[in-house]
């Protein structure tokens, strides 16, 4: 009786193993990378260059947008490891150079961002996540999830996160976005 019971169990295990092997092979083969002609871009060492990558297309120019969340930014030299976002032109770029994008954040490690908000940019990890609007001339969203609000200039640190909305041209003024912060609002009286 035991031999009869063991046989279906062994058969099921063999089928399971075969399924897992098939799944592994299909996942490995389905990733679309050109191994014959790769485009390799490099950034600063120890910066996590390539942690996030995004393809962008604007005015017949194709770009690769790259996040380096532990980079020292040349635009924010007094901030400790704020992270950076780089743009790399795909065509007409034989040296495969990438340039850091100026997100217009300035050089202050702390700056006021509202009545009860004092932003702390040290180790904020800008470029840890990147997203793009799915349309022609879509804007790009670059985020720093470790940006902190030092609430009322006290010991209360609120890790809200910070994002920059980058225009489709990859130039000009960016728009700040602090998704988890809302400043104090005044109550309004309504007359009935």
């Amino acid at each position: 009786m035991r031999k009869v019971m063991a046989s279906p169990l062994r058969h099921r295990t063999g089928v399971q193993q075969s399924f897992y092997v098939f799944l592994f092979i299909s996942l490995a083969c389905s990733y679309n990378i050109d191994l014959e002609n790769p485009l390799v871009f490099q950034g600063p060492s120890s910066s996590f260059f390539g942690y996030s990558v995004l393809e962008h297309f604007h005015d017949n120019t194709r770009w690769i947008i790259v996040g380096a969340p532990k980079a020292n930014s040349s635009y924010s030299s007094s901030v400790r490891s704020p992270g950076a976002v780089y743009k790399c032109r795909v065509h007409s770029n034989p040296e495969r150079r990438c340039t850091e994008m100026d997100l217009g954040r300035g050089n202050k490690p702390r700056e006021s961002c509202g009545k009860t908000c004092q932003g702390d940019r040290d180790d904020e990890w800008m470029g840890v996540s990147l997203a793009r609007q799915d349309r022609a001339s879509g804007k790009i969203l670059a985020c720093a999830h470790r940006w902190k609000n030092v609430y009322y200039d006290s010991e209360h640190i609120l890790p809200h996160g910070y994002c920059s909305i980058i225009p489709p041209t990859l130039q000009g003024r960016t728009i700040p976005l602090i998704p988890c912060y809302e400043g104090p609002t005044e109550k309004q009286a309504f007359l009935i």
Side-chain angles (χ1 to χ4, degrees), residues 45-113:
S45 63
S46 301
S47 67
F48 287 14
F49 182 87
Y51 190 90
S52 56
V53 178
L54 181 71
E55 187 177 13
H56 179 67
F57 185 77
H58 180 73
D59 281 346
N60 295 323
T61 305
R62 191 168 300 279
W63 298 89
I64 299 293
I65 309 300
V66 181
K70 293 192 68 152
N72 288 313
S73 173
S74 57
Y75 295 103
S76 302
S77 59
S78 67
V79 181
R80 188 185 61 209
S81 297
V85 177
Y86 292 85
K87 61 182 178 180
C88 314
R89 185 186 299 260
V90 174
H91 301 293
S92 306
N93 186 3
E95 300 90 29
R96 301 287 181 241
R97 270 187 315 172
C98 299
T99 55
E100 182 183 352
M101 297 175 65
D102 182 4
L103 300 179
R105 309 250 341 256
N107 201 16
K108 299 176 190 169
R110 283 206 176 169
E111 59 187 341
S112 177
C113 49

Side-chain angles (χ1 to χ4, degrees), residues 136-181:
S137 296
K139 296 176 186 171
I140 295 172
L141 186 69
C143 295
H145 74 285
R146 294 181 64 182
W147 178 89
K148 301 160 286 299
N149 172 10
V150 181
Y151 188 68
Y152 281 115
D153 221 9
S154 68
E155 294 300 314
H156 301 289
I157 297 175
L158 307 173
H160 288 308
Y162 181 97
C163 297
S164 290
I165 300 171
I166 303 168
T169 60
L170 306 179
Q171 298 174 354
R173 183 170 162 77
T174 62
I175 301 168
L177 175 66
I178 306 173
C180 296
Y181 173 75

